[in-house]
Amino acid sequence: MQISKEPEKDRAQYNLQTDVDSKHSLIVNYEVSWDVVDIDHLSKITIIAKETLKTEKKVFANAGYYDSLDIKRSQDNEIISYAPILAQKISKKKNVHLL
């Protein structure tokens, strides 16, 4: 568990990844990390869930999980992953790309 160093945010910070069976709405697998972003977690957790369920696996994730290498790892393990690509933002002031 990570504690924020900012006094106004004196609380634990962590990220929880879950994989849920769509038929029964049960958690099949989970992972807790200190990573701030979801990138690079999609294939790790879904590969384990596929092995647990012993079934064909389709994954629907939000744009925070989109990473072409992670999706490729899923495909290599016969997992079909759907995650929208994050829209790239452009500053209207200086035409500077923002992350």
Side-chain angles (χ1 to χ4, degrees):
M1 192 176 319
Q2 184 177 10
I3 304 295
S4 174
K5 294 179 182 174
E6 298 176 41
E8 66 276 1
K9 296 182 181 178
D10 190 20
R11 63 180 183 264
Q13 296 177 347
Y14 57 90
N15 197 348
L16 176 66
Q17 312 297 326
T18 58
D19 201 343
V20 179
D21 174 358
S22 62
K23 184 176 180 181
H24 304 289
S25 298
L26 296 173
I27 295 174
V28 176
N29 189 22
Y30 69 93
E31 177 185 69
V32 179
S33 72
W34 289 358
D35 296 341
V36 178
V37 296
D38 295 327
I39 291 175
D40 200 33
H41 288 277
L42 185 63
S43 64
K44 283 189 253 181
I45 195 162
T46 56
I47 290 168
I48 293 169
K50 180 183 177 210
E51 292 169 0
T52 302
L53 294 173
K54 305 217 184 306
T55 185
E56 180 180 300
K57 186 75 176 162
K58 289 183 184 175
V59 177
F60 299 90
N62 66 40
Y65 287 92
Y66 184 84
D67 176 59
S68 58
L69 296 175
D70 203 24
I71 289 176
K72 174 72 170 107
R73 276 191 297 271
S74 295
Q75 288 176 340
D76 291 345
N77 285 278
E78 300 176 355
I79 298 169
I80 301 167
S81 299
Y82 300 95
I85 299 172
L86 283 171
Q88 192 172 26
K89 297 180 182 178
I90 299 175
S91 170
K92 292 179 183 175
K93 266 188 173 180
K94 299 179 184 179
N95 200 22
V96 176
H97 293 283
L98 305 174
L99 296 177

